[in-house]
Amino acid sequence: MEVLKQVQRLPVTPTPFKDIADKLNVSEDDVLKASEDMLARGIIRRFGPSISHRKLGYGSNPMTVLKVPEERLDEIGEFIASQEGVTHCYHRSGWDYNLFFMIHGKDRESAFERAHEIISKVNIKDYKLLLSIREFKKTSFEI
Amino acid sequence: MIIWPKNHGAPTREALVLIELDDADRKLLRALQSDIPLTSRAFEEIGERAGLSENEAVERIQELLDKGILRKVGAIIAPRELDYVSTLAAINAPESEVEAIAELINGYKGVTHNYLREGEPNIWFTMTEPDIETMEHNIAEIEKATGLAVRRMPVEKLYRIGVKFDI
């Protein structure tokens, strides 16, 4: 758990894992092995960057919500998940709209167009596109 | 029925400050996106993929962090695998109270995303906590403080998660 806490934000130095090891009083190999293990177990999804897409101009991220009959959830969920531009796709409970997906676009028009294009292929009439107006908070989950 | 957001076509209220990247930055971000290797000199390898020296890679990554283009580099955790619970939640705030309510919600450490969106409800956030009791306690607290109901929309099934941008 201590290793996990530290590897969430790697020090940006030539030897990030060695630096963490020194801090925790363990060997660099211990840190690398623990990291590999947590990666293999799925606790760590991947080692990568967390990028602020808004600062790169991907400012338009409509959340699309659909009302899908229960028996078509998997079929439609898996189809949408496979579509280009889709970053998230979930079945959620708690609302009449039960399938959610996100796409990121450089501008509102192309994002809307892409969302409509995807929806037109699944033949669901009841849906909404919820465009974000402001970002109050966006962080990565950290323990 | 197609429900269009009410003010479709209106400009967003938030001014976006776009930061231009040079070619080397783009290559570097792409190299990071295709996973940071679990090796002693991880950034040396990242640099190699981007055609940069280890030093250049380290300096540029630090600059991208300073500029806020990168929030962090490191392990992306799957909270569910640690038995954390999370939910998407939404609250319909009157326009005059949007700021205050958004700020109240932001105050919870477990809130990782918080957006104002078109339509109703208008404030959408995600909360991730170590157990259901803590999450319920927090959401009930938000309901009590605002006098508004919070809709909880937990994930029942995940079809896709993973953001890799074309840079």
Side-chain angles (χ1 to χ4, degrees), chain B:
Chain B
M1 185 177 54
I2 298 170
I3 304 160
W4 286 90
K6 275 184 203 151
N7 55 342
H8 174 51
T12 58
R13 270 184 257 166
E14 190 175 23
L16 289 175
V17 182
L18 298 187
I19 295 168
E20 290 297 321
L21 300 178
D22 65 21
D23 225 39
D25 286 335
R26 281 175 207 284
K27 280 187 185 155
L28 191 56
L29 288 175
R30 277 200 291 265
L32 287 167
Q33 285 205 112
S34 56
D35 288 350
I36 298 166
L38 293 178
T39 55
S40 183
R41 309 295 285 260
F43 296 120
E44 184 179 37
E45 195 173 324
I46 294 287
E48 270 167 29
R49 286 186 210 157
L52 299 169
S53 71
E54 182 181 46
N55 265 340
E56 286 170 325
V58 164
E59 275 170 25
R60 277 179 183 266
I61 291 168
Q62 192 54 56
E63 275 171 32
L64 292 169
L65 284 165
D66 295 342
K67 287 179 188 163
I69 291 171
L70 282 175
R71 279 192 294 266
K72 66 164 200 176
V73 292
I76 314 289
I77 298 176
R80 288 184 155 216
E81 299 298 323
L82 289 172
D83 292 328
Y84 274 58
V85 293
S86 71
T87 192
L88 173 69
I91 191 166
N92 198 33
E95 205 168 329
S96 62
E97 290 173 39
V98 162
E99 292 290 335
I101 293 175
E103 203 175 311
L104 170 83
I105 293 167
N106 272 1
Y108 289 88
K109 188 175 170 279
V111 170
T112 55
H113 300 64
N114 188 9
Y115 288 95
L116 179 66
R117 292 190 181 276
E118 290 170 345
E120 291 177 6
N122 56 359
I123 297 181
W124 293 78
F125 61 98
T126 54
M127 185 181 277
T128 304
E129 298 290 353
D131 53 71
I132 191 91
E133 289 76 22
T134 310
M135 193 167 81
E136 256 316 305
H137 169 84
N138 291 348
I139 291 179
E141 222 169 51
I142 293 169
E143 289 183 317
K144 192 160 180 248
T146 59
L148 298 167
V150 172
R151 185 180 289 281
R152 298 130 168 101
M153 291 162 279
V155 170
E156 298 296 334
K157 191 159 182 184
L158 192 152
Y159 296 107
R160 178 175 189 146
I161 180 163
V163 188
K164 282 192 184 179
F165 293 102
D166 296 328
I167 293 164

